Amino acid sequence: MRSVSLRGAAAAVALLCASMGAQAALFEDDEARRAILDLRQRVETMRQQAEQRQNDESAQLRRSVLDLQNQIEQMRGELARMTGQNEQLTKTVTDLQQKQTDVDNRLKSNEPSKVAVDGREFNADPKEKADFDAALGIFRAGQFAQAQTAFADFVKRYPQSGYNASALFWLGNAQYATRNYNEAIANFRSMLSLAPDHAKAPEAVLSIANCQIELKDTKAARRTLEDLTKAYPQSEAAQAGRERLSRLR
């Protein structure tokens, strides 16, 4: 009986141990599963966090690229604007340089230049020279009335002109041609008073005598011719004056 009881006790102990071992094994399996699940959760969390960071970084990178592209476009636009401004500035400078050249040319064309008339040299403005040449051209065309007006206007317009002695001479001749003898005499005398050494001074004195002859003032004409031969004895006008004087006696 006693041995049966021992065997039963031993069996009971063995069963208890087996039961405890099974419970221990079951406990270990649960812990392992929880550990695995926890590990999986942590891995999943890490994966999600990594994916989120990657997405955030990708979004940031896209924004950065977009910002860079915008900056590049802005720089291109600014460069184009500056290029346009430079081109306009270059054109403006070129236009100003051309205008300055034109102004300089006009100023040069209006600057006085040296001219020589009847053996006399002096400076004259281009307009002044053109007006004198035009009046002389009218006289040489035989338009004496118009030449008279042109030379009279010239003397009034250019009272200090170096052309004035010659202008007065041709004015007197135009007046002689239109039979304005008194006016002609006055202008010939003005010419002689202004330039007694003028190349045409002897002709002016002879012309005064001719006007006096036309006015039937023989006495005055004789006196003028005598003055001519004394003042300009070697001139062709003086030779003509002598011949004219011989016919008046």
Side-chain angles (χ1 to χ4, degrees), residues 96-108:
L96 288 174
Q97 289 174 338
Q98 183 60 48
K99 289 180 180 179
Q100 183 63 47
T101 300
D102 293 341
V103 170
D104 290 343
N105 291 336
R106 285 197 296 271
L107 289 175
K108 289 180 180 179

Side-chain angles (χ1 to χ4, degrees), residues 11-75:
V13 170
L15 181 59
L16 179 59
C17 290
S19 177
M20 292 177 64
Q23 289 179 353
L26 182 59
F27 176 78
E28 291 176 357
D29 288 341
D30 290 340
E31 288 293 327
R33 282 194 297 273
R34 281 195 296 272
I36 291 172
L37 291 174
D38 182 59
L39 180 60
R40 286 177 179 175
Q41 183 63 38
R42 281 186 289 171
V43 169
E44 178 63 20
T45 300
M46 292 174 65
R47 183 190 66 77
Q48 291 177 356
Q49 290 176 346
E51 183 176 352
Q52 183 62 42
R53 283 196 300 271
Q54 184 177 4
N55 291 338
D56 293 342
E57 290 174 356
S58 297
Q60 181 63 37
L61 180 60
R62 286 193 296 271
R63 287 193 296 269
S64 298
V65 171
L66 183 60
D67 290 343
L68 182 59
Q69 289 177 340
N70 290 335
Q71 292 176 10
I72 292 173
E73 290 301 320
Q74 290 176 358
M75 292 178 66

Side-chain angles (χ1 to χ4, degrees), residues 1-15:
M1 289 293 293
R2 187 177 182 180
S3 72
V4 174
S5 297
L6 289 172
R7 283 196 297 274
V13 170
L15 181 59

Side-chain angles (χ1 to χ4, degrees), residues 188-214:
F188 283 130
R189 285 176 174 168
S190 294
M191 179 259 190
L192 291 169
S193 176
L194 179 65
D197 59 343
H198 195 277
K200 293 189 177 296
E203 295 180 46
V205 178
L206 180 60
S207 295
I208 291 174
N210 290 335
C211 289
Q212 291 168 336
I213 291 171
E214 293 292 340

Side-chain angles (χ1 to χ4, degrees), residues 3-247:
S3 72
V4 174
S5 297
L6 289 172
R7 283 196 297 274
V13 170
L15 181 59
L16 179 59
C17 290
S19 177
M20 292 177 64
Q23 289 179 353
L26 182 59
F27 176 78
E28 291 176 357
D29 288 341
D30 290 340
E31 288 293 327
R33 282 194 297 273
R34 281 195 296 272
I36 291 172
L37 291 174
D38 182 59
L39 180 60
R40 286 177 179 175
Q41 183 63 38
R42 281 186 289 171
V43 169
E44 178 63 20
T45 300
M46 292 174 65
R47 183 190 66 77
Q48 291 177 356
Q49 290 176 346
E51 183 176 352
Q52 183 62 42
R53 283 196 300 271
Q54 184 177 4
N55 291 338
D56 293 342
E57 290 174 356
S58 297
Q60 181 63 37
L61 180 60
R62 286 193 296 271
R63 287 193 296 269
S64 298
V65 171
L66 183 60
D67 290 343
L68 182 59
Q69 289 177 340
N70 290 335
Q71 292 176 10
I72 292 173
E73 290 301 320
Q74 290 176 358
M75 292 178 66
R76 285 176 178 172
E78 183 67 17
L79 180 60
R81 186 182 64 80
M82 293 178 64
T83 301
Q85 289 180 344
N86 288 338
E87 291 176 353
Q88 182 61 41
L89 180 60
T90 300
K91 183 179 184 302
T92 300
V93 171
T94 301
D95 291 344
L96 288 174
Q97 289 174 338
Q98 183 60 48
K99 289 180 180 179
Q100 183 63 47
T101 300
D102 293 341
V103 170
D104 290 343
N105 291 336
R106 285 197 296 271
L107 289 175
K108 289 180 180 179
S109 67
N110 291 323
E111 289 179 352
S113 60
K114 183 173 288 188
V115 297
V117 177
D118 298 326
R120 300 166 67 88
E121 288 188 351
F122 52 90
N123 290 329
D125 293 335
K127 183 67 168 57
E128 178 184 354
K129 180 179 184 302
D131 288 347
F132 178 84
D133 290 342
L136 187 59
I138 295 171
F139 180 90
R140 288 173 175 170
Q143 300 174 1
F144 301 118
Q146 294 89 332
Q148 178 178 328
T149 300
F151 280 116
D153 289 344
F154 181 90
V155 173
K156 291 178 181 178
R157 191 179 303 115
Y158 306 104
Q160 304 301 321
S161 174
Y163 284 107
N164 274 354
S166 296
L168 288 168
F169 174 80
W170 293 111
L171 174 57
N173 277 280
Q175 291 168 332
Y176 178 86
T178 57
R179 299 182 180 180
N180 294 319
Y181 301 122
N182 288 319
E183 292 83 351
I185 290 172
N187 284 304
F188 283 130
R189 285 176 174 168
S190 294
M191 179 259 190
L192 291 169
S193 176
L194 179 65
D197 59 343
H198 195 277
K200 293 189 177 296
E203 295 180 46
V205 178
L206 180 60
S207 295
I208 291 174
N210 290 335
C211 289
Q212 291 168 336
I213 291 171
E214 293 292 340
L215 292 170
K216 309 301 182 182
D217 190 352
T218 304
K219 183 178 179 180
R222 184 180 292 112
R223 187 167 54 250
T224 300
L225 291 171
E226 290 174 350
D227 291 342
L228 170 61
T229 59
K230 292 178 182 178
Y232 308 100
Q234 304 301 320
S235 65
E236 293 182 4
Q239 180 60 36
R242 292 187 188 97
E243 295 176 359
R244 182 67 58 85
L245 187 60
S246 65
R247 291 197 296 270

